[in-house]
PDB file of all heavy atoms in Angstrom:
ATOM      1  N   SER Q 177      26.458  -5.104  36.348  1.00  0.00           N
ATOM      2  CA  SER Q 177      26.554  -6.229  35.416  1.00  0.00           C
ATOM      3  C   SER Q 177      27.747  -6.015  34.507  1.00  0.00           C
ATOM      4  O   SER Q 177      28.343  -4.932  34.482  1.00  0.00           O
ATOM      5  CB  SER Q 177      25.282  -6.355  34.581  1.00  0.00           C
ATOM      6  OG  SER Q 177      25.151  -5.221  33.736  1.00  0.00           O
ATOM      7  N   CYS Q 178      28.072  -7.040  33.750  1.00  0.00           N
ATOM      8  CA  CYS Q 178      29.173  -6.912  32.790  1.00  0.00           C
ATOM      9  C   CYS Q 178      28.838  -5.888  31.714  1.00  0.00           C
ATOM     10  O   CYS Q 178      29.680  -5.077  31.324  1.00  0.00           O
ATOM     11  CB  CYS Q 178      29.465  -8.269  32.144  1.00  0.00           C
ATOM     12  SG  CYS Q 178      30.209  -9.472  33.264  1.00  0.00           S
ATOM     13  N   ALA Q 179      27.591  -5.900  31.241  1.00  0.00           N
ATOM     14  CA  ALA Q 179      27.194  -4.958  30.192  1.00  0.00           C
ATOM     15  C   ALA Q 179      27.296  -3.524  30.686  1.00  0.00           C
ATOM     16  O   ALA Q 179      27.756  -2.636  29.973  1.00  0.00           O
ATOM     17  CB  ALA Q 179      25.784  -5.272  29.712  1.00  0.00           C
ATOM     18  N   SER Q 180      26.869  -3.284  31.920  1.00  0.00           N
ATOM     19  CA  SER Q 180      26.926  -1.920  32.451  1.00  0.00           C
ATOM     20  C   SER Q 180      28.364  -1.462  32.669  1.00  0.00           C
ATOM     21  O   SER Q 180      28.641  -0.266  32.691  1.00  0.00           O
ATOM     22  CB  SER Q 180      26.152  -1.836  33.768  1.00  0.00           C
ATOM     23  OG  SER Q 180      26.797  -2.596  34.784  1.00  0.00           O
ATOM     24  N   ALA Q 181      29.285  -2.408  32.814  1.00  0.00           N
ATOM     25  CA  ALA Q 181      30.706  -2.077  32.976  1.00  0.00           C
ATOM     26  C   ALA Q 181      31.413  -1.914  31.641  1.00  0.00           C
ATOM     27  O   ALA Q 181      32.626  -1.677  31.603  1.00  0.00           O
ATOM     28  CB  ALA Q 181      31.404  -3.156  33.804  1.00  0.00           C
ATOM     29  N   GLY Q 182      30.685  -2.050  30.536  1.00  0.00           N
ATOM     30  CA  GLY Q 182      31.260  -1.802  29.218  1.00  0.00           C
ATOM     31  C   GLY Q 182      31.778  -3.024  28.498  1.00  0.00           C
ATOM     32  O   GLY Q 182      32.425  -2.902  27.453  1.00  0.00           O
ATOM     33  N   TYR Q 183      31.489  -4.213  28.995  1.00  0.00           N
ATOM     34  CA  TYR Q 183      31.967  -5.436  28.328  1.00  0.00           C
ATOM     35  C   TYR Q 183      31.088  -5.730  27.116  1.00  0.00           C
ATOM     36  O   TYR Q 183      29.868  -5.558  27.145  1.00  0.00           O
ATOM     37  CB  TYR Q 183      31.965  -6.611  29.301  1.00  0.00           C
ATOM     38  CG  TYR Q 183      33.108  -6.551  30.284  1.00  0.00           C
ATOM     39  CD1 TYR Q 183      33.076  -5.685  31.363  1.00  0.00           C
ATOM     40  CD2 TYR Q 183      34.240  -7.339  30.126  1.00  0.00           C
ATOM     41  CE1 TYR Q 183      34.123  -5.592  32.264  1.00  0.00           C
ATOM     42  CE2 TYR Q 183      35.296  -7.265  31.019  1.00  0.00           C
ATOM     43  CZ  TYR Q 183      35.233  -6.384  32.081  1.00  0.00           C
ATOM     44  OH  TYR Q 183      36.288  -6.304  32.968  1.00  0.00           O
ATOM     45  N   GLU Q 184      31.729  -6.184  26.038  1.00  0.00           N
ATOM     46  CA  GLU Q 184      31.047  -6.450  24.781  1.00  0.00           C
ATOM     47  C   GLU Q 184      31.417  -7.831  24.265  1.00  0.00           C
ATOM     48  O   GLU Q 184      32.483  -8.357  24.585  1.00  0.00           O
ATOM     49  CB  GLU Q 184      31.428  -5.417  23.720  1.00  0.00           C
ATOM     50  CG  GLU Q 184      31.143  -3.979  24.094  1.00  0.00           C
ATOM     51  CD  GLU Q 184      31.694  -3.012  23.069  1.00  0.00           C
ATOM     52  OE1 GLU Q 184      32.813  -3.234  22.577  1.00  0.00           O
ATOM     53  OE2 GLU Q 184      30.991  -2.046  22.769  1.00  0.00           O
ATOM     54  N   ALA Q 185      30.550  -8.384  23.452  1.00  0.00           N
ATOM     55  CA  ALA Q 185      30.820  -9.670  22.802  1.00  0.00           C
ATOM     56  C   ALA Q 185      31.392  -9.395  21.422  1.00  0.00           C
ATOM     57  O   ALA Q 185      30.655  -9.038  20.502  1.00  0.00           O
ATOM     58  CB  ALA Q 185      29.547 -10.500  22.713  1.00  0.00           C
ATOM     59  N   ARG Q 186      32.683  -9.511  21.269  1.00  0.00           N
ATOM     60  CA  ARG Q 186      33.345  -9.295  19.976  1.00  0.00           C
ATOM     61  C   ARG Q 186      33.685 -10.636  19.324  1.00  0.00           C
ATOM     62  O   ARG Q 186      33.879 -11.643  19.997  1.00  0.00           O
ATOM     63  CB  ARG Q 186      34.625  -8.481  20.175  1.00  0.00           C
ATOM     64  CG  ARG Q 186      34.388  -7.066  20.655  1.00  0.00           C
ATOM     65  CD  ARG Q 186      33.735  -6.200  19.595  1.00  0.00           C
ATOM     66  NE  ARG Q 186      33.604  -4.807  20.004  1.00  0.00           N
ATOM     67  CZ  ARG Q 186      34.509  -3.877  19.770  1.00  0.00           C
ATOM     68  NH1 ARG Q 186      35.631  -4.196  19.136  1.00  0.00           N
ATOM     69  NH2 ARG Q 186      34.303  -2.635  20.159  1.00  0.00           N
ATOM     70  N   ALA Q 187      33.799 -10.621  18.010  1.00  0.00           N
ATOM     71  CA  ALA Q 187      34.118 -11.837  17.263  1.00  0.00           C
ATOM     72  C   ALA Q 187      35.502 -12.348  17.643  1.00  0.00           C
ATOM     73  O   ALA Q 187      36.437 -11.566  17.836  1.00  0.00           O
ATOM     74  CB  ALA Q 187      34.048 -11.562  15.765  1.00  0.00           C
ATOM     75  N   VAL Q 188      35.625 -13.670  17.766  1.00  0.00           N
ATOM     76  CA  VAL Q 188      36.908 -14.266  18.154  1.00  0.00           C
ATOM     77  C   VAL Q 188      37.360 -15.344  17.176  1.00  0.00           C
ATOM     78  O   VAL Q 188      38.416 -15.951  17.362  1.00  0.00           O
ATOM     79  CB  VAL Q 188      36.820 -14.874  19.575  1.00  0.00           C
ATOM     80  CG1 VAL Q 188      36.531 -13.797  20.602  1.00  0.00           C
ATOM     81  CG2 VAL Q 188      35.779 -15.994  19.648  1.00  0.00           C
ATOM     82  N   ALA Q 206      35.750 -20.907  21.683  1.00  0.00           N
ATOM     83  CA  ALA Q 206      35.915 -19.569  22.264  1.00  0.00           C
ATOM     84  C   ALA Q 206      36.147 -19.680  23.778  1.00  0.00           C
ATOM     85  O   ALA Q 206      35.692 -20.634  24.411  1.00  0.00           O
ATOM     86  CB  ALA Q 206      34.664 -18.743  21.981  1.00  0.00           C
ATOM     87  N   PRO Q 207      36.870 -18.703  24.351  1.00  0.00           N
ATOM     88  CA  PRO Q 207      37.285 -17.431  23.751  1.00  0.00           C
ATOM     89  C   PRO Q 207      38.539 -17.511  22.883  1.00  0.00           C
ATOM     90  O   PRO Q 207      38.881 -16.530  22.233  1.00  0.00           O
ATOM     91  CB  PRO Q 207      37.545 -16.543  24.971  1.00  0.00           C
ATOM     92  CG  PRO Q 207      37.969 -17.491  26.038  1.00  0.00           C
ATOM     93  CD  PRO Q 207      37.171 -18.734  25.812  1.00  0.00           C
ATOM     94  N   ALA Q 222      42.069 -12.956  19.510  1.00  0.00           N
ATOM     95  CA  ALA Q 222      41.457 -11.885  18.717  1.00  0.00           C
ATOM     96  C   ALA Q 222      41.582 -10.523  19.370  1.00  0.00           C
ATOM     97  O   ALA Q 222      41.555  -9.494  18.680  1.00  0.00           O
ATOM     98  CB  ALA Q 222      39.987 -12.203  18.463  1.00  0.00           C
ATOM     99  N   HIS Q 223      41.703 -10.487  20.708  1.00  0.00           N
ATOM    100  CA  HIS Q 223      41.748  -9.214  21.443  1.00  0.00           C
ATOM    101  C   HIS Q 223      42.612  -9.386  22.687  1.00  0.00           C
ATOM    102  O   HIS Q 223      42.653 -10.453  23.286  1.00  0.00           O
ATOM    103  CB  HIS Q 223      40.343  -8.771  21.881  1.00  0.00           C
ATOM    104  CG  HIS Q 223      39.287  -8.963  20.847  1.00  0.00           C
ATOM    105  ND1 HIS Q 223      39.118  -8.102  19.788  1.00  0.00           N
ATOM    106  CD2 HIS Q 223      38.352  -9.936  20.698  1.00  0.00           C
ATOM    107  CE1 HIS Q 223      38.118  -8.529  19.026  1.00  0.00           C
ATOM    108  NE2 HIS Q 223      37.644  -9.638  19.553  1.00  0.00           N
ATOM    109  N   PHE Q 224      43.286  -8.298  23.066  1.00  0.00           N
ATOM    110  CA  PHE Q 224      44.000  -8.276  24.341  1.00  0.00           C
ATOM    111  C   PHE Q 224      43.306  -7.362  25.356  1.00  0.00           C
ATOM    112  O   PHE Q 224      43.904  -6.979  26.351  1.00  0.00           O
ATOM    113  CB  PHE Q 224      45.458  -7.845  24.153  1.00  0.00           C
ATOM    114  CG  PHE Q 224      46.354  -8.980  23.756  1.00  0.00           C
ATOM    115  CD1 PHE Q 224      47.042  -8.942  22.555  1.00  0.00           C
ATOM    116  CD2 PHE Q 224      46.504 -10.080  24.579  1.00  0.00           C
ATOM    117  CE1 PHE Q 224      47.878  -9.988  22.183  1.00  0.00           C
ATOM    118  CE2 PHE Q 224      47.328 -11.137  24.210  1.00  0.00           C
ATOM    119  CZ  PHE Q 224      48.022 -11.097  23.016  1.00  0.00           C
ATOM    120  N   GLY Q 225      42.060  -7.006  25.075  1.00  0.00           N
ATOM    121  CA  GLY Q 225      41.284  -6.211  26.016  1.00  0.00           C
ATOM    122  C   GLY Q 225      40.260  -7.091  26.706  1.00  0.00           C
ATOM    123  O   GLY Q 225      39.443  -7.747  26.055  1.00  0.00           O
ATOM    124  N   GLU Q 226      40.294  -7.133  28.016  1.00  0.00           N
ATOM    125  CA  GLU Q 226      39.356  -7.977  28.757  1.00  0.00           C
ATOM    126  C   GLU Q 226      37.911  -7.637  28.432  1.00  0.00           C
ATOM    127  O   GLU Q 226      37.036  -8.514  28.445  1.00  0.00           O
ATOM    128  CB  GLU Q 226      39.578  -7.819  30.268  1.00  0.00           C
ATOM    129  CG  GLU Q 226      40.943  -8.230  30.760  1.00  0.00           C
ATOM    130  CD  GLU Q 226      41.924  -7.069  30.779  1.00  0.00           C
ATOM    131  OE1 GLU Q 226      41.653  -6.042  30.098  1.00  0.00           O
ATOM    132  OE2 GLU Q 226      42.945  -7.171  31.466  1.00  0.00           O
ATOM    133  N   ASP Q 227      37.642  -6.360  28.150  1.00  0.00           N
ATOM    134  CA  ASP Q 227      36.261  -5.925  27.935  1.00  0.00           C
ATOM    135  C   ASP Q 227      35.689  -6.351  26.592  1.00  0.00           C
ATOM    136  O   ASP Q 227      34.559  -5.998  26.253  1.00  0.00           O
ATOM    137  CB  ASP Q 227      36.154  -4.408  28.086  1.00  0.00           C
ATOM    138  CG  ASP Q 227      37.031  -3.651  27.102  1.00  0.00           C
ATOM    139  OD1 ASP Q 227      37.812  -4.297  26.369  1.00  0.00           O
ATOM    140  OD2 ASP Q 227      36.948  -2.407  27.060  1.00  0.00           O
ATOM    141  N   ARG Q 228      36.434  -7.145  25.819  1.00  0.00           N
ATOM    142  CA  ARG Q 228      35.935  -7.672  24.551  1.00  0.00           C
ATOM    143  C   ARG Q 228      35.371  -9.086  24.709  1.00  0.00           C
ATOM    144  O   ARG Q 228      34.917  -9.683  23.752  1.00  0.00           O
ATOM    145  CB  ARG Q 228      37.050  -7.699  23.491  1.00  0.00           C
ATOM    146  CG  ARG Q 228      37.639  -6.337  23.170  1.00  0.00           C
ATOM    147  CD  ARG Q 228      36.573  -5.415  22.604  1.00  0.00           C
ATOM    148  NE  ARG Q 228      37.119  -4.171  22.121  1.00  0.00           N
ATOM    149  CZ  ARG Q 228      37.082  -3.019  22.769  1.00  0.00           C
ATOM    150  NH1 ARG Q 228      36.517  -2.967  23.969  1.00  0.00           N
ATOM    151  NH2 ARG Q 228      37.579  -1.922  22.264  1.00  0.00           N
ATOM    152  N   TYR Q 229      35.393  -9.607  25.927  1.00  0.00           N
ATOM    153  CA  TYR Q 229      34.983 -10.989  26.170  1.00  0.00           C
ATOM    154  C   TYR Q 229      33.801 -11.010  27.145  1.00  0.00           C
ATOM    155  O   TYR Q 229      33.949 -11.310  28.331  1.00  0.00           O
ATOM    156  CB  TYR Q 229      36.154 -11.796  26.725  1.00  0.00           C
ATOM    157  CG  TYR Q 229      37.334 -11.907  25.780  1.00  0.00           C
ATOM    158  CD1 TYR Q 229      38.394 -11.007  25.852  1.00  0.00           C
ATOM    159  CD2 TYR Q 229      37.384 -12.902  24.813  1.00  0.00           C
ATOM    160  CE1 TYR Q 229      39.483 -11.109  24.994  1.00  0.00           C
ATOM    161  CE2 TYR Q 229      38.471 -13.005  23.947  1.00  0.00           C
ATOM    162  CZ  TYR Q 229      39.510 -12.101  24.040  1.00  0.00           C
ATOM    163  OH  TYR Q 229      40.586 -12.208  23.187  1.00  0.00           O
ATOM    164  N   LEU Q 230      32.616 -10.698  26.647  1.00  0.00           N
ATOM    165  CA  LEU Q 230      31.432 -10.597  27.492  1.00  0.00           C
ATOM    166  C   LEU Q 230      31.091 -11.936  28.151  1.00  0.00           C
ATOM    167  O   LEU Q 230      30.774 -11.980  29.352  1.00  0.00           O
ATOM    168  CB  LEU Q 230      30.248 -10.106  26.662  1.00  0.00           C
ATOM    169  CG  LEU Q 230      28.906  -9.997  27.396  1.00  0.00           C
ATOM    170  CD1 LEU Q 230      29.003  -9.021  28.558  1.00  0.00           C
ATOM    171  CD2 LEU Q 230      27.798  -9.578  26.434  1.00  0.00           C
ATOM    172  N   ALA Q 231      31.145 -13.025  27.397  1.00  0.00           N
ATOM    173  CA  ALA Q 231      30.778 -14.330  27.958  1.00  0.00           C
ATOM    174  C   ALA Q 231      31.719 -14.714  29.100  1.00  0.00           C
ATOM    175  O   ALA Q 231      31.281 -15.253  30.126  1.00  0.00           O
ATOM    176  CB  ALA Q 231      30.805 -15.401  26.868  1.00  0.00           C
ATOM    177  N   THR Q 232      33.010 -14.426  28.943  1.00  0.00           N
ATOM    178  CA  THR Q 232      33.968 -14.725  30.012  1.00  0.00           C
ATOM    179  C   THR Q 232      33.692 -13.861  31.231  1.00  0.00           C
ATOM    180  O   THR Q 232      33.788 -14.310  32.375  1.00  0.00           O
ATOM    181  CB  THR Q 232      35.402 -14.493  29.517  1.00  0.00           C
ATOM    182  OG1 THR Q 232      35.633 -15.280  28.346  1.00  0.00           O
ATOM    183  CG2 THR Q 232      36.422 -14.874  30.583  1.00  0.00           C
ATOM    184  N   CYS Q 233      33.332 -12.597  30.993  1.00  0.00           N
ATOM    185  CA  CYS Q 233      32.998 -11.705  32.096  1.00  0.00           C
ATOM    186  C   CYS Q 233      31.809 -12.244  32.890  1.00  0.00           C
ATOM    187  O   CYS Q 233      31.802 -12.229  34.129  1.00  0.00           O
ATOM    188  CB  CYS Q 233      32.688 -10.306  31.564  1.00  0.00           C
ATOM    189  SG  CYS Q 233      32.201  -9.130  32.845  1.00  0.00           S
ATOM    190  N   GLU Q 234      30.799 -12.722  32.183  1.00  0.00           N
ATOM    191  CA  GLU Q 234      29.613 -13.230  32.867  1.00  0.00           C
ATOM    192  C   GLU Q 234      29.926 -14.464  33.701  1.00  0.00           C
ATOM    193  O   GLU Q 234      29.277 -14.717  34.716  1.00  0.00           O
ATOM    194  CB  GLU Q 234      28.519 -13.511  31.842  1.00  0.00           C
ATOM    195  CG  GLU Q 234      27.967 -12.212  31.232  1.00  0.00           C
ATOM    196  CD  GLU Q 234      27.028 -12.445  30.072  1.00  0.00           C
ATOM    197  OE1 GLU Q 234      27.058 -13.572  29.510  1.00  0.00           O
ATOM    198  OE2 GLU Q 234      26.277 -11.523  29.708  1.00  0.00           O
ATOM    199  N   GLN Q 235      30.945 -15.235  33.290  1.00  0.00           N
ATOM    200  CA  GLN Q 235      31.373 -16.370  34.102  1.00  0.00           C
ATOM    201  C   GLN Q 235      32.103 -15.917  35.364  1.00  0.00           C
ATOM    202  O   GLN Q 235      32.002 -16.556  36.416  1.00  0.00           O
ATOM    203  CB  GLN Q 235      32.308 -17.279  33.286  1.00  0.00           C
ATOM    204  CG  GLN Q 235      31.656 -17.945  32.093  1.00  0.00           C
ATOM    205  CD  GLN Q 235      32.679 -18.640  31.214  1.00  0.00           C
ATOM    206  OE1 GLN Q 235      33.846 -18.782  31.565  1.00  0.00           O
ATOM    207  NE2 GLN Q 235      32.237 -19.081  30.036  1.00  0.00           N
ATOM    208  N   LEU Q 246      36.495  -6.849  38.919  1.00  0.00           N
ATOM    209  CA  LEU Q 246      35.914  -7.584  37.804  1.00  0.00           C
ATOM    210  C   LEU Q 246      36.937  -7.776  36.692  1.00  0.00           C
ATOM    211  O   LEU Q 246      37.056  -8.867  36.119  1.00  0.00           O
ATOM    212  CB  LEU Q 246      34.695  -6.827  37.271  1.00  0.00           C
ATOM    213  CG  LEU Q 246      33.976  -7.467  36.087  1.00  0.00           C
ATOM    214  CD1 LEU Q 246      33.469  -8.853  36.443  1.00  0.00           C
ATOM    215  CD2 LEU Q 246      32.823  -6.584  35.612  1.00  0.00           C
ATOM    216  N   LYS Q 247      37.695  -6.735  36.403  1.00  0.00           N
ATOM    217  CA  LYS Q 247      38.716  -6.818  35.348  1.00  0.00           C
ATOM    218  C   LYS Q 247      39.736  -7.905  35.666  1.00  0.00           C
ATOM    219  O   LYS Q 247      40.099  -8.707  34.797  1.00  0.00           O
ATOM    220  CB  LYS Q 247      39.412  -5.465  35.211  1.00  0.00           C
ATOM    221  CG  LYS Q 247      40.461  -5.386  34.129  1.00  0.00           C
ATOM    222  CD  LYS Q 247      41.033  -3.968  34.074  1.00  0.00           C
ATOM    223  CE  LYS Q 247      42.058  -3.825  32.984  1.00  0.00           C
ATOM    224  NZ  LYS Q 247      42.587  -2.450  32.898  1.00  0.00           N
ATOM    225  N   VAL Q 250      38.144 -11.383  35.270  1.00  0.00           N
ATOM    226  CA  VAL Q 250      38.027 -11.757  33.858  1.00  0.00           C
ATOM    227  C   VAL Q 250      39.396 -12.149  33.309  1.00  0.00           C
ATOM    228  O   VAL Q 250      39.529 -13.148  32.584  1.00  0.00           O
ATOM    229  CB  VAL Q 250      37.425 -10.595  33.041  1.00  0.00           C
ATOM    230  CG1 VAL Q 250      37.452 -10.916  31.546  1.00  0.00           C
ATOM    231  CG2 VAL Q 250      36.010 -10.304  33.494  1.00  0.00           C
ATOM    232  N   LEU Q 254      40.524 -15.627  31.522  1.00  0.00           N
ATOM    233  CA  LEU Q 254      41.123 -15.677  30.192  1.00  0.00           C
ATOM    234  C   LEU Q 254      42.446 -16.434  30.218  1.00  0.00           C
ATOM    235  O   LEU Q 254      42.749 -17.201  29.291  1.00  0.00           O
ATOM    236  CB  LEU Q 254      41.323 -14.255  29.650  1.00  0.00           C
ATOM    237  CG  LEU Q 254      40.041 -13.488  29.332  1.00  0.00           C
ATOM    238  CD1 LEU Q 254      40.339 -12.032  28.992  1.00  0.00           C
ATOM    239  CD2 LEU Q 254      39.293 -14.138  28.165  1.00  0.00           C
ATOM    240  N   GLY Q 282      44.791  -4.648  19.919  1.00  0.00           N
ATOM    241  CA  GLY Q 282      45.426  -4.334  21.192  1.00  0.00           C
ATOM    242  C   GLY Q 282      44.500  -4.546  22.369  1.00  0.00           C
ATOM    243  O   GLY Q 282      43.553  -5.331  22.323  1.00  0.00           O
ATOM    244  N   GLY Q 283      44.779  -3.811  23.455  1.00  0.00           N
ATOM    245  CA  GLY Q 283      43.993  -3.977  24.667  1.00  0.00           C
ATOM    246  C   GLY Q 283      44.675  -3.367  25.872  1.00  0.00           C
ATOM    247  O   GLY Q 283      44.957  -2.167  25.888  1.00  0.00           O
ATOM    248  N   TRP Q 286      47.184  -6.769  30.215  1.00  0.00           N
ATOM    249  CA  TRP Q 286      47.025  -8.225  30.308  1.00  0.00           C
ATOM    250  C   TRP Q 286      48.015  -8.943  29.387  1.00  0.00           C
ATOM    251  O   TRP Q 286      48.444 -10.067  29.676  1.00  0.00           O
ATOM    252  CB  TRP Q 286      45.577  -8.612  29.956  1.00  0.00           C
ATOM    253  CG  TRP Q 286      45.378 -10.057  29.649  1.00  0.00           C
ATOM    254  CD1 TRP Q 286      45.889 -11.126  30.348  1.00  0.00           C
ATOM    255  CD2 TRP Q 286      44.657 -10.612  28.557  1.00  0.00           C
ATOM    256  NE1 TRP Q 286      45.508 -12.305  29.751  1.00  0.00           N
ATOM    257  CE2 TRP Q 286      44.747 -12.012  28.661  1.00  0.00           C
ATOM    258  CE3 TRP Q 286      43.924 -10.056  27.521  1.00  0.00           C
ATOM    259  CZ2 TRP Q 286      44.130 -12.863  27.746  1.00  0.00           C
ATOM    260  CZ3 TRP Q 286      43.312 -10.910  26.621  1.00  0.00           C
ATOM    261  CH2 TRP Q 286      43.408 -12.290  26.730  1.00  0.00           C
TER     262      TRP Q 286
END
Side-chain angles (χ1 to χ4, degrees):
S177 66
C178 290
S180 67
Y183 285 77
E184 302 173 319
R186 294 291 185 91
V188 297
H223 318 281
F224 276 119
E226 298 92 342
D227 60 354
R228 300 298 188 259
Y229 297 94
L230 178 60
T232 304
C233 178
E234 291 172 342
Q235 295 171 10
L246 180 60
K247 182 178 182 178
V250 173
L254 292 172
W286 164 45

